[in-house]
Amino acid sequence: MTDPEVAEADRPTLAVRAAAPVSALGRLVLDTVGGAGRLALFALNGLSHLLRPPFYWRNFLSAFFEFAFYSLPVVALTAIFSGMVIALQSYTGFSRFNAQSAIADIVVLSVVRELGPVLAGLMVAGRVGAAMAAEIGTMRVTDQVDALGTLSTNPMKYLVAPRLLAGLLALPLLVVVADILGVMGGFIVSVVKLGFSPAAYVANTFSFVQPMDVIVGLAKAGAFGFLIALMGCYNGYHSRGGAQGVGASTTSAVVAASILILCFDYVLTEMFFSR
Amino acid sequence: MNGPTTRIGVPKIRIRGLSKSFGPKRVLDGIDLDVHPGTSTVVIGGSGSGKSVLLRCILGLIEPDAGTIEIDGVDVLAQGRRDQEATRERIGMLFQNGALFDSLPVWENVAFGLLARRKGRRMSRTAARQRAGQVLTQVGLDPSVGNLQPSELSGGMQKRVGLARAIAAQPEILFFDEPTTGLDPIMGAVIDGLIVDCVKRLGSTALAITHDMASATRIGDRAAMLYQGRLVWQGEAASLLHSGNPLVDQFTHGRREGPIGMELRR
Ligand SMILES: Nc1ncnc2c1ncn2[C@@H]1O[C@H](COP(=O)(O)OP(=O)(O)O)[C@@H](O)[C@H]1O
Ligand SMILES: [Mg+2]
């Protein structure tokens, strides 16, 4: 750490100063590893409650609806406009090379593989992840979570497990819709604005997309849905200190879920699409 | 200073050497307390003195650092998860701010514990709803209140619903965390009266914590004072106002001068 040119007397302070970022980094790493460990234990604990009865169907269904139904409008709009903008962008690019016919290919692959799951994930993280953290956080700071424990009900089983399952199952469903609407957005722009033949566009779309593209896209969506629910529950469950604490955990839930979605997107893409 | 009372028979709740710290802060520092079957004990103490932590430890919501807690002579801290859940089913708790589930209507709040029991002992929804109506009547509310949401209730009504939820399963043991805090004096007296009635009717053993002296003498048979993590005085609740203990005297009479410094108020 120390520089040999530096005078003897200055060394300790310099060494300390030089070490400060290192020790801060070390602390950050330790905190992150510790946090990841606690998060993983929380996730496993939540999942393990799915295997043991009772299962709270009503909580599962209401979380599922929150995910799938109420998020549908925002996800649908996002998907349509992304499909449209990709068609437009790739046309301006490809027309220079006379490769316009590749537009259908570009639209369907980017929507199904990436944009559908990622944009739906980010939208739902902001909507449902935040709401989950706020709801569970409020229950925590008003002692409702503890009250469950005194009424023969395990809060992990009652609050967390149904939401994790709902996230895992609902987001793929939402992404199916997003995929269809995204492709439709591309179709509209290509046919109406760029003058493609509708039949050729549809034929191109179906000839390019492979079942594997769709399946991996939906698997991504499942992973993202799980992460959104996990971050919402985890941050809400560990809320502290009144309204301010609940606000802070809501923010963390959305930020953490969004970052994790983008990280996992890269990892999953690396695993399945790059050979 | 009176030690733990020596009475014949096994105490319902027996606490020895209970300690709990949060970080450097020693909240409970060797608590010894006996609560005898069918009696009510109130623990008084300032805000932040650890009264709620004491109840949470007995309920198993907080794990203490040291000490033993026995219920009917069984060490509950040494129990497995299943047995601990079974023990918890025998305790009803009225939380400080009610802690009603705001996503559920009032009747489902009251019947929650009945619906949540393990298969075999679980009530049907119709039966539970009917039972909720009965319990609401017991706490002086009309059964039609069951159809409202908790957010539609006044503070006094919320306390009553919280009490109804605590007694619905007819528990052997009842805990009350500051039952009159936040209520006007008349409503406080009404709630105290309901608490005494319910405890009598069920024949339960009660442990209440409060910093309301009127409430303490109304609810309690026995009383204890928690100060700096220890029970500094135990005796008959009726003698609270003339205990002869300087700490209790200052607290019960609300004097600014005395052995209790202002650090208590932090
Ligand atoms: N889960 C917790 N984590 C950290 N500190 C806590 C926790 N619960 C209580 N405390 C601290 O313990 C002290 C006693 O709290 P409490 O039992 O709620 O007081 P009261 O006597 O007013 O009910 C307070 O100073 C509080 O900050
Ligand atoms: Mg308290």
Side-chain angles (χ1 to χ4, degrees):
Chain A
M1 278 297 123
T2 44
D3 188 336
E5 302 279 324
V6 178
E8 197 72 19
D10 286 340
R11 255 188 204 156
T13 51
L14 258 187
V16 168
R17 249 190 264 161
V22 177
S23 69
L25 187 68
R27 233 189 337 268
L28 183 71
V29 169
L30 283 181
D31 284 353
T32 311
V33 171
R38 278 192 296 277
L39 183 64
L41 282 180
F42 185 86
L44 287 178
N45 187 1
L47 286 176
S48 75
H49 281 290
L50 291 174
L51 307 175
R52 279 176 277 142
F55 181 71
Y56 294 99
W57 280 102
R58 275 146 44 97
N59 297 4
F60 167 74
L61 288 177
S62 83
F64 190 87
F65 266 87
E66 189 68 31
F67 259 107
F69 191 69
Y70 296 112
S71 306
L72 202 52
V74 341
V75 170
L77 282 174
T78 319
I80 290 182
F81 280 109
S82 333
M84 287 168 70
V85 91
I86 292 173
L88 210 53
Q89 282 286 14
S90 35
Y91 180 75
T92 49
F94 287 133
S95 60
R96 291 184 210 152
F97 310 105
N98 282 329
Q100 295 98 318
S101 60
I103 289 179
D105 181 18
I106 297 291
V107 168
V108 71
L109 286 191
S110 45
V111 165
V112 167
R113 285 178 167 194
E114 294 295 336
L115 291 177
V118 170
L119 289 179
L122 293 177
M123 288 293 150
V124 172
R127 235 192 130 276
V128 185
M132 272 185 187
E135 186 182 358
I136 298 181
T138 305
M139 290 186 73
R140 164 61 74 193
V141 301
T142 57
D143 291 338
Q144 293 178 52
V145 175
D146 287 337
L148 284 174
T150 67
L151 294 165
S152 324
T153 304
N154 185 317
M156 289 296 287
K157 202 187 270 300
Y158 184 80
L159 296 174
V160 177
R163 283 175 169 81
L164 293 181
L165 189 65
L168 187 69
L169 298 181
L171 210 63
L173 206 65
L174 210 51
V175 166
V176 170
V177 179
D179 286 353
I180 294 170
L181 291 177
V183 169
M184 223 172 76
F187 174 85
I188 291 169
V189 167
S190 304
V191 172
V192 175
K193 190 170 159 57
L194 310 176
F196 281 47
S197 122
Y201 189 93
V202 171
N204 274 345
T205 297
F206 281 106
S207 71
F208 279 122
V209 70
Q210 301 292 316
M212 196 58 185
D213 296 327
V214 179
I215 291 168
V216 174
L218 295 183
K220 278 183 175 181
F224 298 166
F226 180 78
L227 284 173
I228 293 165
L230 178 63
M231 296 320 293
C233 292
Y234 180 81
N235 285 286
Y237 204 81
H238 295 99
S239 290
R240 272 293 200 75
Q244 206 179 7
V246 176
S249 52
T250 305
T251 310
S252 319
V254 176
V255 172
S258 307
I259 293 174
L260 282 175
I261 284 173
L262 294 172
C263 294
F264 269 72
D265 183 49
Y266 179 81
V267 172
L268 293 173
T269 303
E270 176 82 39
M271 270 165 62
F272 290 106
F273 289 130
S274 70
R275 252 153 287 206
Chain B
M1 243 186 261
N2 308 21
T5 43
T6 43
R7 288 193 195 184
I8 310 123
V10 184
K12 191 78 180 173
I13 305 171
R14 183 174 183 275
I15 298 171
R16 287 294 175 275
L18 190 69
S19 298
K20 177 70 191 176
S21 303
F22 291 107
K25 191 147 105 197
R26 197 126 205 202
V27 179
L28 300 179
D29 186 11
I31 301 280
D32 296 335
L33 180 69
D34 287 341
V35 183
H36 287 275
T39 67
S40 298
T41 299
V42 284
V43 175
I44 60 170
S47 306
S49 60
K51 304 185 299 295
S52 298
V53 172
L54 173 63
L55 288 191
R56 275 155 200 273
C57 284
I58 308 175
L59 281 169
L61 296 172
I62 293 180
E63 198 177 334
D65 302 329
T68 57
I69 299 168
E70 290 173 10
I71 293 181
D72 285 333
V74 177
D75 184 353
V76 292
L77 296 174
Q79 281 179 322
R81 195 178 53 83
R82 264 280 159 82
D83 289 334
Q84 231 163 28
E85 281 173 10
T87 302
R88 227 177 272 168
E89 277 186 21
R90 297 160 55 196
I91 306 177
M93 166 95 176
L94 172 58
F95 282 85
Q96 189 164 342
N97 294 307
L100 300 179
F101 304 124
D102 40 30
S103 58
L104 300 176
V106 166
W107 80 263
E108 250 188 288
N109 266 279
V110 175
F112 197 93
L114 306 171
L115 292 167
R117 286 170 166 181
R118 244 170 266 122
K119 268 212 176 70
R121 298 204 302 125
R122 194 182 307 157
M123 264 192 190
S124 72
R125 283 178 75 80
T126 352
R129 185 161 195 159
Q130 203 163 22
R131 171 92 185 116
Q134 288 168 5
V135 183
L136 284 170
T137 316
Q138 282 174 21
V139 298
L141 292 173
D142 193 82
S144 66
V145 171
N147 301 320
L148 300 177
Q149 294 294 321
S151 56
E152 298 174 271
L153 305 178
S154 70
M157 286 165 94
Q158 290 191 3
K159 274 276 153 71
R160 288 181 198 240
V161 173
L163 179 61
R165 185 175 71 181
I167 63 171
Q170 304 184 300
E172 302 158 36
I173 300 172
L174 277 164
F175 287 172
F176 304 101
D177 191 345
E178 303 198 12
T180 59
T181 298
L183 301 178
D184 67 70
I186 299 173
M187 184 56 76
V190 171
I191 295 290
D192 284 341
L194 284 172
I195 287 176
V196 172
D197 282 353
C198 292
V199 172
K200 284 257 158 60
R201 184 161 349 102
L202 296 175
S204 309
T205 306
L207 180 57
I209 58 184
T210 185
H211 47 60
D212 173 353
M213 280 317 113
S215 176
T217 46
R218 280 192 295 251
I219 300 176
D221 303 319
R222 303 273 306 164
M225 173 149 169
L226 183 62
Y227 176 63
Q228 294 191 337
R230 293 169 175 277
L231 291 181
V232 291
W233 176 84
Q234 297 193 35
E236 300 297 322
S239 67
L240 261 176
L241 290 172
H242 37 87
S243 62
N245 180 303
L247 291 163
V248 180
D249 271 354
Q250 185 191 347
F251 191 83
T252 53
H253 295 97
R255 292 195 201 101
R256 266 191 296 169
E257 285 79 32
I260 303 178
M262 289 307 284
E263 83 272 20
L264 183 68
R265 299 268 157 266
R266 257 190 306 128

